Amino acid sequence: MAVRARQTYIQQQPELPQHQQQEQRLPVQPKKRKPKYFSAQEKFLFLVFAIVVASFAISILHTQGEIQTLSMEIQKIERDITEVNNNNTDLKVQVSERSTHQRIWEKAKELGLTLNEKNVKVVPGE
């Protein structure tokens, strides 16, 4: 039925000269503008916001990197302190071993010293 209506419509149109047919076929259509979702000011604000967020993110990452570096340095210093404390403990043990009365008496005999009780003075202990 729609095909018949078209055929009758096409048949009923009068024949126009060539230049009139071309004008009739090209109706002037107003340009359709795409709706603007954001104005220029809003775009600028979005750009500024993105820059601020990026700068905060970069500053946070930089701070985290510095914290990590300082943490590693602290751990290294703590290891060094532990090592020095262990060395000090070992040295204290050696001092206590070498300062025994028996060992001192043996070293004195090796060096040819003798015990003279007249020269011995008693000093109160610590």
Side-chain angles (χ1 to χ4, degrees):
M1 175 138 180
V3 174
R4 287 183 192 166
R6 269 193 200 163
Q7 288 175 352
T8 56
Y9 176 74
I10 292 173
Q11 290 172 359
Q12 290 175 0
Q13 288 182 352
E15 290 293 320
L16 297 174
Q18 274 300 342
H19 67 282
Q20 285 181 348
Q21 280 183 349
Q22 288 178 356
E23 289 177 14
Q24 193 176 25
R25 289 183 188 170
L26 300 174
V28 178
Q29 296 178 354
K31 292 184 178 179
K32 293 183 180 179
R33 292 188 176 186
K34 292 183 180 178
K36 289 188 175 182
Y37 294 108
F38 301 111
S39 67
Q41 293 87 4
E42 290 173 335
K43 289 178 183 177
F44 177 73
L45 288 175
F46 289 144
L47 179 66
V48 169
F49 178 73
I51 290 171
V52 168
V53 168
S55 64
F56 279 142
I58 289 170
S59 101
I60 288 172
L61 290 174
H62 179 67
T63 305
Q64 287 294 330
E66 287 181 351
I67 289 171
Q68 183 69 23
T69 303
L70 291 176
S71 176
M72 290 170 49
E73 287 179 18
I74 289 171
Q75 289 177 356
K76 181 181 176 188
I77 291 171
E78 286 177 348
R79 271 186 270 130
D80 292 344
I81 290 171
T82 304
E83 185 178 325
V84 167
N85 284 339
N86 289 339
N87 288 341
N88 287 344
T89 304
D90 292 342
L91 292 174
K92 285 180 184 178
V93 168
Q94 287 180 5
V95 166
S96 65
E97 287 174 354
R98 292 182 180 181
S99 65
T100 60
H101 183 66
Q102 182 80 15
R103 186 167 186 288
I104 293 173
W105 184 249
E106 288 174 5
K107 283 291 184 181
K109 284 185 180 180
E110 284 177 14
L111 295 173
L113 300 175
T114 58
L115 181 62
N116 186 356
E117 293 196 23
K118 292 182 184 177
N119 290 338
V120 175
K121 292 184 181 180
V122 178
V123 180
E126 293 180 27

